């Protein structure tokens, strides 16, 4: 049983590290106009769906992160290379209820509990923030090289890259919203770029909400929150 409080950490801090994004302005408009237009465009698409980040590592392990900033729900799930579920955590009821599903030697074990009010409020605050906005904001300090020689699908997509020694980061950006679409991490070995991990960012339609956050509650055991009473003050 866990002996620390369960509180969500901003997913961008967990999955993106310190990569940053720098707007590459068009010759047809100044940087301020582009920044204003991209903010308006991104605001139009955020909050109307469920934000989704998919991470694939070099050993083919896959992790999914979902955030619903309107209904204040979030889910993370991890899969083994063979596609078997490793663990899943769903946070509902505005950050208050936690459902934890783990794979114990092939047998799924499910537990649920209600968090203390102060921790639930911290979760609520975190889940209310757009994950993709957080990611976009973190893409603001590192210098990038224009890598848009070949578009992914059409000319609404641009690519940038950063080179640091043997490590190369390539990011695909939606040219209309400046929101990230995909990030690829490479390691240069023997002059060849070896793919280390991939992160894909999408906004799922709200009609998928039921399938994303739904869970069979018949075998879930209700337990007391695995939280130390002395560790329930914010910041502990």
């Amino acid at each position: 049983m866990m002996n620390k409080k369960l509180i969500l950490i901003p997913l961008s801090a967990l999955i993106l590290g310190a990569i940053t994004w720098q707007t590459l302005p068009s010759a047809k408009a100044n940087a301020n106009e582009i920044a204003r237009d991209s903010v308006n465009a991104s605001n139009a698409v955020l909050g109307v769906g469920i934000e989704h980040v998919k991470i694939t590592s070099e050993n083919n392990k896959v992790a999914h992160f979902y955030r619903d900033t309107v209904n204040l729900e979030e889910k993370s799930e991890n899969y083994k290379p063979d596609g078997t579920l490793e663990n899943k955590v769903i946070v509902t009821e505005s950050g208050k209820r936690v459902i934890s599903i783990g794979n114990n030697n092939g047998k799924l074990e499910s537990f649920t509990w209600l968090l203390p009010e102060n921790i639930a409020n911290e979760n609520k605050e975190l889940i209310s923030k757009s994950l993709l906005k957080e990611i976009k904001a973190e893409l603001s300090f590192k210098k990038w090289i224009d890598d848009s020689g070949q578009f992914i699908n059409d000319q609404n997509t641009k690519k940038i890259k950063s080179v640091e020694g043997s490590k190369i980061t390539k990011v695909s950006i939606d040219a209309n919203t400046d929101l990230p679409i995909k990030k690829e991490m490479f390691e240069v070995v023997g002059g060849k770029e070896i793919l280390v991990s991939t992160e894909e960012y999408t906004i799922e339609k709200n009609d998928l909400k039921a399938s994303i956050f739904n869970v069979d509650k018949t075998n879930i055991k209700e337990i007391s929150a695995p939280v130390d009473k002395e560790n329930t003050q914010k910041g502990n």
Side-chain angles (χ1 to χ4, degrees):
M1 188 67 65
M2 290 174 287
N3 57 14
K4 294 181 64 178
K5 68 179 183 178
L6 176 65
I7 178 167
L8 296 185
I9 300 172
L11 295 181
S12 55
L14 291 174
I15 62 182
L16 290 180
I19 65 168
T20 54
W21 151 246
Q22 181 179 27
T23 301
L24 302 173
S26 165
K28 296 182 180 179
N30 63 48
N32 289 334
E33 289 174 336
I34 287 182
R36 183 184 64 246
D37 291 344
S38 67
V39 168
N40 291 337
S42 63
N43 287 339
V45 299
L46 295 173
V48 297
I50 300 166
E51 300 181 18
H52 177 204
V53 177
K54 177 184 177 182
I55 304 174
T56 305
S57 63
E58 59 182 333
N59 60 2
N60 291 322
K61 293 185 70 173
V62 176
H64 292 272
F65 299 89
Y66 298 89
R67 180 177 289 181
D68 184 341
T69 61
V70 175
N71 297 292
L72 299 176
E73 294 184 310
E74 188 165 84
K75 181 177 80 169
S76 65
E77 53 188 5
N78 295 279
Y79 291 89
K80 299 177 182 179
D82 63 1
T84 303
L85 177 69
E86 196 167 32
N87 56 65
K88 180 187 301 185
V89 175
I90 301 174
V91 180
T92 63
E93 298 181 23
S94 300
K96 189 172 184 179
R97 177 167 293 280
V98 177
I99 300 172
S100 176
I101 302 172
N103 189 331
N104 186 6
N105 295 321
K107 179 181 178 181
L108 294 181
E109 296 182 340
S110 305
F111 300 91
T112 184
W113 59 87
L114 292 174
L115 290 169
E117 183 177 359
N118 64 312
I119 300 178
N121 287 337
E122 292 181 57
N123 280 346
K124 180 179 180 180
E125 181 180 349
L126 290 172
I127 301 173
S128 67
K129 297 177 181 178
S130 166
L131 177 59
L132 294 185
K133 271 190 176 181
E134 291 178 5
I135 294 169
K136 177 182 175 181
E138 291 199 6
L139 305 178
S140 60
F141 301 105
K142 184 183 291 186
K143 292 183 179 180
W144 295 88
I145 302 170
D146 188 356
D147 194 36
S148 300
Q150 183 175 1
F151 294 106
I152 298 176
N153 295 315
D154 55 46
Q155 294 191 359
N156 289 322
T157 302
K158 53 189 174 184
K159 299 185 72 175
I160 55 175
K161 71 177 180 180
S162 173
V163 180
E164 295 180 316
S166 63
K167 300 183 184 299
I168 300 176
T169 302
K170 297 183 179 181
V171 181
S172 302
I173 305 290
D174 185 310
N176 296 316
T177 64
D178 273 350
L179 292 174
I181 300 171
K182 185 177 183 180
K183 185 191 82 169
E184 296 172 297
M185 298 289 292
F186 296 88
E187 182 81 25
V188 179
V189 180
K192 296 183 179 180
E193 296 181 5
I194 307 300
L195 182 63
V196 175
S197 65
T198 302
E199 297 175 8
E200 300 170 84
Y201 318 110
T202 55
I203 299 177
E204 308 293 349
K205 295 180 179 179
N206 277 323
D207 54 12
L208 295 177
K209 172 180 168 58
S211 60
I212 291 174
F213 294 102
N214 187 44
V215 48
D216 183 3
K217 299 180 180 180
T218 56
N219 295 316
I220 298 180
K221 182 180 179 180
E222 182 91 28
I223 63 173
S224 299
V227 178
D228 293 337
K229 292 183 179 179
E230 63 270 23
N231 291 331
T232 57
Q233 294 299 316
K234 187 171 184 178
N236 291 339

